[in-house]
mmCIF file of all heavy atoms in Angstrom:
data_model
loop_
_atom_site.group_PDB
_atom_site.id
_atom_site.type_symbol
_atom_site.label_atom_id
_atom_site.label_comp_id
_atom_site.label_asym_id
_atom_site.label_seq_id
_atom_site.Cartn_x
_atom_site.Cartn_y
_atom_site.Cartn_z
ATOM 1 N N VAL J 1 -26.698 14.735 1.933
ATOM 2 C CA VAL J 1 -26.944 13.364 1.626
ATOM 3 C C VAL J 1 -26.989 13.161 0.071
ATOM 4 O O VAL J 1 -26.435 12.131 -0.419
ATOM 5 C CB VAL J 1 -28.333 12.854 2.266
ATOM 6 C CG1 VAL J 1 -28.669 11.515 1.769
ATOM 7 C CG2 VAL J 1 -28.195 12.943 3.747
ATOM 8 N N ARG J 2 -27.621 14.059 -0.612
ATOM 9 C CA ARG J 2 -27.710 13.931 -2.091
ATOM 10 C C ARG J 2 -26.303 13.907 -2.696
ATOM 11 O O ARG J 2 -26.008 13.101 -3.600
ATOM 12 C CB ARG J 2 -28.489 15.107 -2.704
ATOM 13 C CG ARG J 2 -28.667 14.941 -4.206
ATOM 14 C CD ARG J 2 -29.583 16.042 -4.789
ATOM 15 N NE ARG J 2 -30.020 16.980 -3.796
ATOM 16 C CZ ARG J 2 -30.397 18.174 -4.082
ATOM 17 N NH1 ARG J 2 -30.417 18.591 -5.314
ATOM 18 N NH2 ARG J 2 -30.820 19.027 -3.158
ATOM 19 N N GLY J 3 -25.388 14.716 -2.170
ATOM 20 C CA GLY J 3 -24.047 14.696 -2.683
ATOM 21 C C GLY J 3 -23.323 13.394 -2.436
ATOM 22 O O GLY J 3 -22.542 12.890 -3.258
ATOM 23 N N LEU J 4 -23.571 12.807 -1.218
ATOM 24 C CA LEU J 4 -22.987 11.490 -0.953
ATOM 25 C C LEU J 4 -23.526 10.382 -1.848
ATOM 26 O O LEU J 4 -22.795 9.528 -2.365
ATOM 27 C CB LEU J 4 -23.242 11.090 0.509
ATOM 28 C CG LEU J 4 -22.571 11.915 1.574
ATOM 29 C CD1 LEU J 4 -23.051 11.603 2.989
ATOM 30 C CD2 LEU J 4 -21.061 11.789 1.501
ATOM 31 N N ILE J 5 -24.790 10.421 -2.112
ATOM 32 C CA ILE J 5 -25.450 9.463 -3.036
ATOM 33 C C ILE J 5 -24.910 9.595 -4.415
ATOM 34 O O ILE J 5 -24.539 8.614 -5.061
ATOM 35 C CB ILE J 5 -26.967 9.582 -2.940
ATOM 36 C CG1 ILE J 5 -27.550 9.215 -1.619
ATOM 37 C CG2 ILE J 5 -27.658 8.755 -4.085
ATOM 38 C CD1 ILE J 5 -27.327 7.760 -1.196
ATOM 39 N N GLU J 6 -24.777 10.828 -4.874
ATOM 40 C CA GLU J 6 -24.265 11.110 -6.233
ATOM 41 C C GLU J 6 -22.821 10.587 -6.290
ATOM 42 O O GLU J 6 -22.416 10.029 -7.341
ATOM 43 C CB GLU J 6 -24.358 12.552 -6.550
ATOM 44 C CG GLU J 6 -25.770 13.011 -6.820
ATOM 45 C CD GLU J 6 -25.924 14.504 -7.043
ATOM 46 O OE1 GLU J 6 -24.861 15.215 -7.176
ATOM 47 O OE2 GLU J 6 -27.103 14.959 -7.061
ATOM 48 N N ARG J 7 -22.035 10.761 -5.270
ATOM 49 C CA ARG J 7 -20.674 10.249 -5.287
ATOM 50 C C ARG J 7 -20.644 8.721 -5.361
ATOM 51 O O ARG J 7 -19.860 8.159 -6.172
ATOM 52 C CB ARG J 7 -19.916 10.704 -4.062
ATOM 53 C CG ARG J 7 -18.512 10.158 -4.021
ATOM 54 C CD ARG J 7 -17.694 10.652 -2.857
ATOM 55 N NE ARG J 7 -16.401 10.012 -2.881
ATOM 56 C CZ ARG J 7 -15.531 10.148 -1.920
ATOM 57 N NH1 ARG J 7 -15.746 10.886 -0.874
ATOM 58 N NH2 ARG J 7 -14.358 9.485 -2.026
ATOM 59 N N GLN J 8 -21.519 8.075 -4.666
ATOM 60 C CA GLN J 8 -21.631 6.611 -4.701
ATOM 61 C C GLN J 8 -21.966 6.168 -6.140
ATOM 62 O O GLN J 8 -21.411 5.178 -6.666
ATOM 63 C CB GLN J 8 -22.615 6.067 -3.713
ATOM 64 C CG GLN J 8 -22.143 6.211 -2.277
ATOM 65 C CD GLN J 8 -20.759 5.591 -2.036
ATOM 66 O OE1 GLN J 8 -20.530 4.436 -2.399
ATOM 67 N NE2 GLN J 8 -19.879 6.368 -1.472
ATOM 68 N N LEU J 9 -22.901 6.862 -6.773
ATOM 69 C CA LEU J 9 -23.281 6.499 -8.123
ATOM 70 C C LEU J 9 -22.156 6.667 -9.076
ATOM 71 O O LEU J 9 -21.987 5.853 -9.973
ATOM 72 C CB LEU J 9 -24.470 7.358 -8.560
ATOM 73 C CG LEU J 9 -25.795 7.157 -7.839
ATOM 74 C CD1 LEU J 9 -26.839 8.189 -8.314
ATOM 75 C CD2 LEU J 9 -26.285 5.773 -7.904
ATOM 76 N N ASP J 10 -21.314 7.664 -8.864
ATOM 77 C CA ASP J 10 -20.128 7.863 -9.701
ATOM 78 C C ASP J 10 -19.075 6.825 -9.510
ATOM 79 O O ASP J 10 -18.248 6.572 -10.401
ATOM 80 C CB ASP J 10 -19.479 9.288 -9.407
ATOM 81 C CG ASP J 10 -20.338 10.363 -9.980
ATOM 82 O OD1 ASP J 10 -21.233 10.158 -10.829
ATOM 83 O OD2 ASP J 10 -20.137 11.525 -9.463
ATOM 84 N N GLU J 11 -19.059 6.192 -8.325
ATOM 85 C CA GLU J 11 -18.087 5.201 -7.998
ATOM 86 C C GLU J 11 -18.479 3.732 -8.259
ATOM 87 O O GLU J 11 -17.735 2.803 -7.915
ATOM 88 C CB GLU J 11 -17.617 5.368 -6.545
ATOM 89 C CG GLU J 11 -16.930 6.653 -6.257
ATOM 90 C CD GLU J 11 -16.517 6.869 -4.843
ATOM 91 O OE1 GLU J 11 -16.771 5.984 -3.990
ATOM 92 O OE2 GLU J 11 -15.870 7.921 -4.512
ATOM 93 N N LEU J 12 -19.667 3.574 -8.918
ATOM 94 C CA LEU J 12 -20.061 2.225 -9.274
ATOM 95 C C LEU J 12 -19.043 1.570 -10.226
ATOM 96 O O LEU J 12 -18.707 2.200 -11.239
ATOM 97 C CB LEU J 12 -21.438 2.307 -9.901
ATOM 98 C CG LEU J 12 -22.072 0.961 -10.370
ATOM 99 C CD1 LEU J 12 -22.303 0.037 -9.182
ATOM 100 C CD2 LEU J 12 -23.368 1.258 -11.119
ATOM 101 N N LEU J 13 -18.614 0.421 -9.903
ATOM 102 C CA LEU J 13 -17.540 -0.301 -10.725
ATOM 103 C C LEU J 13 -18.205 -1.014 -11.881
ATOM 104 O O LEU J 13 -19.438 -1.325 -11.822
ATOM 105 C CB LEU J 13 -16.787 -1.196 -9.834
ATOM 106 C CG LEU J 13 -15.925 -0.499 -8.711
ATOM 107 C CD1 LEU J 13 -15.288 -1.563 -7.843
ATOM 108 C CD2 LEU J 13 -14.870 0.423 -9.329
ATOM 109 N N SER J 14 -17.488 -1.317 -12.856
ATOM 110 C CA SER J 14 -17.973 -1.971 -14.072
ATOM 111 C C SER J 14 -18.563 -3.369 -13.782
ATOM 112 O O SER J 14 -19.428 -3.809 -14.570
ATOM 113 C CB SER J 14 -16.906 -2.073 -15.138
ATOM 114 O OG SER J 14 -15.852 -2.867 -14.686
ATOM 115 N N ASP J 15 -18.219 -4.023 -12.737
ATOM 116 C CA ASP J 15 -18.751 -5.351 -12.430
ATOM 117 C C ASP J 15 -20.102 -5.256 -11.691
ATOM 118 O O ASP J 15 -20.734 -6.294 -11.410
ATOM 119 C CB ASP J 15 -17.756 -6.251 -11.681
ATOM 120 C CG ASP J 15 -17.422 -5.723 -10.325
ATOM 121 O OD1 ASP J 15 -17.908 -4.672 -9.856
ATOM 122 O OD2 ASP J 15 -16.593 -6.450 -9.637
ATOM 123 N N GLY J 16 -20.567 -4.058 -11.363
ATOM 124 C CA GLY J 16 -21.870 -3.878 -10.762
ATOM 125 C C GLY J 16 -21.934 -3.573 -9.301
ATOM 126 O O GLY J 16 -22.997 -3.445 -8.699
ATOM 127 N N GLY J 17 -20.805 -3.489 -8.633
ATOM 128 C CA GLY J 17 -20.737 -3.273 -7.183
ATOM 129 C C GLY J 17 -19.805 -2.077 -6.882
ATOM 130 O O GLY J 17 -19.439 -1.283 -7.743
ATOM 131 N N TRP J 18 -19.447 -2.018 -5.586
ATOM 132 C CA TRP J 18 -18.582 -0.950 -5.109
ATOM 133 C C TRP J 18 -17.382 -1.567 -4.336
ATOM 134 O O TRP J 18 -17.474 -2.631 -3.822
ATOM 135 C CB TRP J 18 -19.328 0.015 -4.253
ATOM 136 C CG TRP J 18 -20.203 0.945 -4.912
ATOM 137 C CD1 TRP J 18 -19.938 2.178 -5.365
ATOM 138 C CD2 TRP J 18 -21.550 0.709 -5.306
ATOM 139 N NE1 TRP J 18 -21.017 2.752 -6.018
ATOM 140 C CE2 TRP J 18 -22.082 1.873 -5.980
ATOM 141 C CE3 TRP J 18 -22.478 -0.356 -5.105
ATOM 142 C CZ2 TRP J 18 -23.355 1.983 -6.456
ATOM 143 C CZ3 TRP J 18 -23.790 -0.235 -5.640
ATOM 144 C CH2 TRP J 18 -24.181 0.926 -6.252
ATOM 145 N N ASN J 19 -16.377 -0.734 -4.195
ATOM 146 C CA ASN J 19 -15.178 -1.082 -3.404
ATOM 147 C C ASN J 19 -14.656 0.206 -2.727
ATOM 148 O O ASN J 19 -14.488 1.189 -3.434
ATOM 149 C CB ASN J 19 -14.130 -1.768 -4.249
ATOM 150 C CG ASN J 19 -13.022 -2.327 -3.423
ATOM 151 O OD1 ASN J 19 -12.518 -1.671 -2.442
ATOM 152 N ND2 ASN J 19 -12.544 -3.521 -3.759
ATOM 153 N N CYS J 20 -14.393 0.145 -1.449
ATOM 154 C CA CYS J 20 -13.971 1.345 -0.736
ATOM 155 C C CYS J 20 -12.524 1.730 -1.157
ATOM 156 O O CYS J 20 -12.067 2.807 -0.914
ATOM 157 C CB CYS J 20 -14.013 1.156 0.769
ATOM 158 S SG CYS J 20 -12.977 -0.153 1.398
ATOM 159 N N GLU J 21 -11.864 0.815 -1.910
ATOM 160 C CA GLU J 21 -10.544 1.093 -2.433
ATOM 161 C C GLU J 21 -10.569 1.571 -3.908
ATOM 162 O O GLU J 21 -9.585 1.617 -4.562
ATOM 163 C CB GLU J 21 -9.644 -0.165 -2.349
ATOM 164 C CG GLU J 21 -9.459 -0.630 -0.975
ATOM 165 C CD GLU J 21 -8.499 0.246 -0.136
ATOM 166 O OE1 GLU J 21 -7.640 0.837 -0.739
ATOM 167 O OE2 GLU J 21 -8.709 0.299 1.106
ATOM 168 N N GLY J 22 -11.797 1.841 -4.391
ATOM 169 C CA GLY J 22 -11.971 2.269 -5.744
ATOM 170 C C GLY J 22 -11.204 3.524 -6.085
ATOM 171 O O GLY J 22 -10.658 3.665 -7.206
ATOM 172 N N ASP J 23 -11.092 4.448 -5.175
ATOM 173 C CA ASP J 23 -10.387 5.683 -5.440
ATOM 174 C C ASP J 23 -8.860 5.435 -5.454
ATOM 175 O O ASP J 23 -8.142 6.272 -5.891
ATOM 176 C CB ASP J 23 -10.723 6.730 -4.418
ATOM 177 C CG ASP J 23 -10.352 6.336 -2.990
ATOM 178 O OD1 ASP J 23 -10.229 5.133 -2.711
ATOM 179 O OD2 ASP J 23 -10.291 7.246 -2.111
ATOM 180 N N ARG J 24 -8.455 4.208 -5.100
ATOM 181 C CA ARG J 24 -7.031 3.829 -5.158
ATOM 182 C C ARG J 24 -6.734 2.901 -6.314
ATOM 183 O O ARG J 24 -5.714 2.286 -6.332
ATOM 184 C CB ARG J 24 -6.611 3.220 -3.811
ATOM 185 C CG ARG J 24 -6.664 4.189 -2.690
ATOM 186 C CD ARG J 24 -6.084 3.640 -1.431
ATOM 187 N NE ARG J 24 -6.347 4.581 -0.303
ATOM 188 C CZ ARG J 24 -6.896 4.248 0.808
ATOM 189 N NH1 ARG J 24 -7.254 2.994 1.028
ATOM 190 N NH2 ARG J 24 -7.046 5.166 1.734
ATOM 191 N N GLY J 25 -7.766 2.750 -7.160
ATOM 192 C CA GLY J 25 -7.525 2.001 -8.344
ATOM 193 C C GLY J 25 -8.130 0.596 -8.378
ATOM 194 O O GLY J 25 -7.966 -0.136 -9.406
ATOM 195 N N SER J 26 -8.795 0.200 -7.301
ATOM 196 C CA SER J 26 -9.379 -1.139 -7.331
ATOM 197 C C SER J 26 -10.453 -1.233 -8.379
ATOM 198 O O SER J 26 -11.265 -0.347 -8.522
ATOM 199 C CB SER J 26 -10.004 -1.467 -5.925
ATOM 200 O OG SER J 26 -10.540 -2.742 -5.984
ATOM 201 N N LYS J 27 -10.443 -2.319 -9.175
ATOM 202 C CA LYS J 27 -11.457 -2.519 -10.233
ATOM 203 C C LYS J 27 -12.408 -3.642 -9.915
ATOM 204 O O LYS J 27 -13.367 -3.892 -10.632
ATOM 205 C CB LYS J 27 -10.737 -2.863 -11.513
ATOM 206 C CG LYS J 27 -9.776 -1.807 -11.961
ATOM 207 C CD LYS J 27 -10.441 -0.560 -12.347
ATOM 208 C CE LYS J 27 -9.444 0.449 -12.878
ATOM 209 N NZ LYS J 27 -9.890 1.821 -12.714
ATOM 210 N N ARG J 28 -12.266 -4.267 -8.757
ATOM 211 C CA ARG J 28 -13.176 -5.405 -8.345
ATOM 212 C C ARG J 28 -13.958 -5.021 -7.103
ATOM 213 O O ARG J 28 -13.400 -4.538 -6.140
ATOM 214 C CB ARG J 28 -12.293 -6.628 -8.070
ATOM 215 C CG ARG J 28 -13.023 -7.835 -7.841
ATOM 216 C CD ARG J 28 -12.141 -9.026 -7.746
ATOM 217 N NE ARG J 28 -12.928 -10.234 -7.622
ATOM 218 C CZ ARG J 28 -12.460 -11.354 -7.678
ATOM 219 N NH1 ARG J 28 -11.128 -11.588 -7.770
ATOM 220 N NH2 ARG J 28 -13.208 -12.457 -7.564
ATOM 221 N N SER J 29 -15.236 -5.296 -7.189
ATOM 222 C CA SER J 29 -16.123 -4.913 -6.107
ATOM 223 C C SER J 29 -15.891 -5.751 -4.859
ATOM 224 O O SER J 29 -15.482 -6.916 -4.958
ATOM 225 C CB SER J 29 -17.575 -5.081 -6.525
ATOM 226 O OG SER J 29 -17.923 -4.223 -7.559
ATOM 227 N N SER J 30 -16.178 -5.159 -3.741
ATOM 228 C CA SER J 30 -16.097 -5.763 -2.452
ATOM 229 C C SER J 30 -17.558 -6.063 -2.010
ATOM 230 O O SER J 30 -18.389 -5.242 -2.086
ATOM 231 C CB SER J 30 -15.374 -4.805 -1.467
ATOM 232 O OG SER J 30 -15.829 -5.060 -0.102
ATOM 233 N N PHE J 31 -17.748 -7.262 -1.477
ATOM 234 C CA PHE J 31 -19.091 -7.686 -1.003
ATOM 235 C C PHE J 31 -19.550 -6.721 0.098
ATOM 236 O O PHE J 31 -20.660 -6.243 0.097
ATOM 237 C CB PHE J 31 -19.156 -9.121 -0.595
ATOM 238 C CG PHE J 31 -18.838 -10.068 -1.679
ATOM 239 C CD1 PHE J 31 -17.936 -11.105 -1.466
ATOM 240 C CD2 PHE J 31 -19.481 -10.013 -2.933
ATOM 241 C CE1 PHE J 31 -17.614 -11.993 -2.470
ATOM 242 C CE2 PHE J 31 -19.200 -10.863 -3.921
ATOM 243 C CZ PHE J 31 -18.254 -11.896 -3.713
ATOM 244 N N ASN J 32 -18.672 -6.490 1.081
ATOM 245 C CA ASN J 32 -19.035 -5.608 2.201
ATOM 246 C C ASN J 32 -19.396 -4.217 1.767
ATOM 247 O O ASN J 32 -20.440 -3.660 2.132
ATOM 248 C CB ASN J 32 -17.951 -5.636 3.244
ATOM 249 C CG ASN J 32 -18.332 -4.865 4.509
ATOM 250 O OD1 ASN J 32 -19.407 -5.151 5.114
ATOM 251 N ND2 ASN J 32 -17.522 -3.898 4.816
ATOM 252 N N THR J 33 -18.506 -3.622 1.011
ATOM 253 C CA THR J 33 -18.826 -2.303 0.538
ATOM 254 C C THR J 33 -20.028 -2.234 -0.280
ATOM 255 O O THR J 33 -20.862 -1.306 -0.172
ATOM 256 C CB THR J 33 -17.599 -1.736 -0.250
ATOM 257 O OG1 THR J 33 -16.400 -1.816 0.531
ATOM 258 C CG2 THR J 33 -17.797 -0.329 -0.672
ATOM 259 N N THR J 34 -20.257 -3.209 -1.160
ATOM 260 C CA THR J 34 -21.457 -3.265 -2.023
ATOM 261 C C THR J 34 -22.692 -3.313 -1.134
ATOM 262 O O THR J 34 -23.677 -2.596 -1.421
ATOM 263 C CB THR J 34 -21.345 -4.442 -2.971
ATOM 264 O OG1 THR J 34 -20.201 -4.187 -3.864
ATOM 265 C CG2 THR J 34 -22.598 -4.561 -3.825
ATOM 266 N N LEU J 35 -22.719 -4.180 -0.140
ATOM 267 C CA LEU J 35 -23.825 -4.264 0.737
ATOM 268 C C LEU J 35 -24.108 -2.975 1.472
ATOM 269 O O LEU J 35 -25.308 -2.578 1.645
ATOM 270 C CB LEU J 35 -23.671 -5.418 1.732
ATOM 271 C CG LEU J 35 -23.747 -6.815 1.115
ATOM 272 C CD1 LEU J 35 -23.358 -7.843 2.157
ATOM 273 C CD2 LEU J 35 -25.144 -7.092 0.657
ATOM 274 N N CYS J 36 -23.044 -2.315 1.924
ATOM 275 C CA CYS J 36 -23.219 -1.053 2.616
ATOM 276 C C CYS J 36 -23.835 -0.020 1.733
ATOM 277 O O CYS J 36 -24.757 0.752 2.143
ATOM 278 C CB CYS J 36 -21.887 -0.549 3.182
ATOM 279 S SG CYS J 36 -21.243 -1.511 4.537
ATOM 280 N N VAL J 37 -23.405 0.142 0.516
ATOM 281 C CA VAL J 37 -23.935 1.054 -0.428
ATOM 282 C C VAL J 37 -25.352 0.736 -0.796
ATOM 283 O O VAL J 37 -26.271 1.621 -0.868
ATOM 284 C CB VAL J 37 -23.050 1.189 -1.693
ATOM 285 C CG1 VAL J 37 -23.719 2.068 -2.759
ATOM 286 C CG2 VAL J 37 -21.655 1.743 -1.337
ATOM 287 N N LEU J 38 -25.655 -0.567 -0.933
ATOM 288 C CA LEU J 38 -26.999 -1.001 -1.227
ATOM 289 C C LEU J 38 -27.940 -0.572 -0.136
ATOM 290 O O LEU J 38 -29.015 -0.059 -0.428
ATOM 291 C CB LEU J 38 -27.038 -2.526 -1.463
ATOM 292 C CG LEU J 38 -28.424 -3.136 -1.662
ATOM 293 C CD1 LEU J 38 -29.081 -2.584 -2.931
ATOM 294 C CD2 LEU J 38 -28.314 -4.630 -1.727
ATOM 295 N N GLU J 39 -27.551 -0.764 1.062
ATOM 296 C CA GLU J 39 -28.375 -0.354 2.211
ATOM 297 C C GLU J 39 -28.629 1.136 2.197
ATOM 298 O O GLU J 39 -29.777 1.611 2.460
ATOM 299 C CB GLU J 39 -27.776 -0.724 3.522
ATOM 300 C CG GLU J 39 -27.775 -2.193 3.778
ATOM 301 C CD GLU J 39 -27.079 -2.635 5.023
ATOM 302 O OE1 GLU J 39 -26.248 -1.823 5.569
ATOM 303 O OE2 GLU J 39 -27.254 -3.739 5.519
ATOM 304 N N ALA J 40 -27.600 1.943 1.891
ATOM 305 C CA ALA J 40 -27.775 3.416 1.842
ATOM 306 C C ALA J 40 -28.700 3.828 0.676
ATOM 307 O O ALA J 40 -29.562 4.697 0.908
ATOM 308 C CB ALA J 40 -26.385 4.051 1.594
ATOM 309 N N LEU J 41 -28.520 3.176 -0.479
ATOM 310 C CA LEU J 41 -29.413 3.563 -1.625
ATOM 311 C C LEU J 41 -30.872 3.219 -1.296
ATOM 312 O O LEU J 41 -31.770 3.978 -1.599
ATOM 313 C CB LEU J 41 -28.977 2.823 -2.845
ATOM 314 C CG LEU J 41 -27.593 3.202 -3.451
ATOM 315 C CD1 LEU J 41 -27.289 2.356 -4.674
ATOM 316 C CD2 LEU J 41 -27.494 4.680 -3.785
ATOM 317 N N LEU J 42 -31.084 2.084 -0.660
ATOM 318 C CA LEU J 42 -32.443 1.662 -0.306
ATOM 319 C C LEU J 42 -33.062 2.578 0.706
ATOM 320 O O LEU J 42 -34.201 3.054 0.553
ATOM 321 C CB LEU J 42 -32.465 0.198 0.161
ATOM 322 C CG LEU J 42 -33.809 -0.376 0.498
ATOM 323 C CD1 LEU J 42 -34.679 -0.360 -0.733
ATOM 324 C CD2 LEU J 42 -33.613 -1.756 1.055
ATOM 325 N N GLU J 43 -32.310 2.956 1.714
ATOM 326 C CA GLU J 43 -32.794 3.906 2.709
ATOM 327 C C GLU J 43 -33.107 5.288 2.088
ATOM 328 O O GLU J 43 -34.085 5.939 2.433
ATOM 329 C CB GLU J 43 -31.811 4.076 3.854
ATOM 330 C CG GLU J 43 -32.336 4.895 4.984
ATOM 331 C CD GLU J 43 -31.513 4.842 6.247
ATOM 332 O OE1 GLU J 43 -30.733 3.892 6.403
ATOM 333 O OE2 GLU J 43 -31.643 5.698 7.052
#
């Protein structure tokens, strides 16, 4: 779990959220992905 959390932290985009397509070059956060990561961080 720690490894997964660390990976998510590394994938935080410059606009403040996340996108599941980030590893494919997406630079804009996705609301759905951002909410999913937020729930995981909170848990």
Side-chain angles (χ1 to χ4, degrees):
V1 173
R2 184 176 1 157
L4 292 171
I5 294 296
E6 288 175 9
R7 178 176 176 186
Q8 291 306 310
L9 295 176
D10 288 342
E11 293 180 358
L12 180 63
L13 297 174
S14 62
D15 65 359
W18 284 268
N19 188 317
C20 62
E21 300 287 329
D23 60 341
R24 295 187 187 128
S26 179
K27 301 294 182 204
R28 188 172 185 175
S29 295
S30 155
F31 298 130
N32 183 56
T33 304
T34 297
L35 288 171
C36 290
V37 173
L38 176 60
E39 289 175 344
L41 295 177
L42 184 59
E43 187 169 338

